[in-house]
Amino acid sequence: MGYPESILAQGERVVLHHHPHWKCLLVPTFVFIVGTALAGVGGGYLSTSDINSTAKLVLGIVIAVLWLGIVIWFFVRPLISWRTTHFVLTDRRVTYRNGIITRSGIDIPVQRINSVEFRHGLVDRVLRTGTLIIESASEDPLEFNDIPHVERVHSLLYHEVFDTRDGNDFRR
């Protein structure tokens, strides 16, 4: 079973399942490219330098370890975090799960949602992403950043809330 199906109640259906927008991976990708370029320049400089072979080996290992640390911490970790973050809208609730080792999540029943709004600036509009803000009955508003196609998600969520409140609760 896929991720959303494993958390569904009997008869519950997924309306929408998203990971954060890919723009979250732009900075990690840039750091990966720059880090790899710097490691390559360092390795190239090291191979043409006039220092003894033991020092070259030690410095080569240091460059490789630094590069590996940068790649793991600034690229692989955000990539795995992006992949393990889920925004799921079902016909009964909104579910948000994230985390790699320590998972956390929140479920908001559709019946408890008071208002739904979205916000996105110029860059977010070009990339078709934004922040979804959900206000439920007894909590402060919750903000979900980098939701792909945030206007569509806003519309779908609004219709789920509206249809549930009217008692229609139609099944597509």
Side-chain angles (χ1 to χ4, degrees):
M1 273 197 282
Y3 174 75
E5 290 80 19
S6 66
I7 64 166
L8 296 179
Q10 187 78 21
E12 188 175 15
R13 73 180 167 79
V14 174
V15 175
L16 178 88
H17 175 212
H18 279 310
H19 295 286
H21 194 270
W22 56 263
K23 85 171 191 173
C24 299
L25 300 174
L26 290 176
V27 171
T29 301
F30 178 75
V31 170
F32 171 74
I33 292 168
V34 169
T36 300
L38 289 175
V41 167
Y45 176 75
L46 190 62
S47 68
T48 61
S49 68
D50 292 337
I51 59 176
N52 66 30
S53 61
T54 306
K56 279 186 182 182
L57 178 63
V58 169
L59 287 174
I61 291 172
V62 167
I63 290 171
V65 167
L66 283 174
W67 175 81
L68 189 60
I70 288 170
V71 166
I72 290 172
W73 189 255
F74 293 106
F75 182 71
V76 173
R77 183 184 55 88
L79 182 64
I80 293 172
S81 178
W82 172 82
R83 186 70 181 130
T84 59
T85 300
H86 301 270
F87 180 85
V88 180
L89 169 62
T90 73
D91 56 346
R92 297 182 191 171
R93 60 187 163 154
V94 174
T95 301
Y96 184 80
R97 301 276 191 274
N98 67 333
I100 298 172
I101 296 172
T102 303
R103 303 250 333 133
S104 62
I106 186 166
D107 291 351
I108 306 166
V110 170
Q111 298 89 349
R112 293 191 56 203
I113 295 176
N114 291 336
S115 69
V116 182
E117 60 183 281
F118 68 91
R119 179 177 58 231
H120 55 179
L122 181 61
V123 174
D124 285 343
R125 290 179 70 187
V126 169
L127 295 176
R128 302 172 93 182
T129 184
T131 300
L132 186 70
I133 303 158
I134 299 174
E135 186 177 334
S136 63
S138 64
E139 302 171 10
D140 292 334
L142 297 169
E143 292 189 11
F144 301 99
N145 298 315
D146 300 320
I147 301 295
H149 306 285
V150 71
E151 290 185 52
R152 180 175 168 261
V153 174
H154 172 267
S155 177
L156 284 171
L157 182 54
Y158 177 79
H159 287 294
E160 288 297 327
V161 170
F162 181 74
D163 292 338
T164 301
R165 287 211 177 120
D166 281 353
N168 297 338
D169 197 23
F170 72 97
R171 306 281 187 234
R172 291 181 196 118

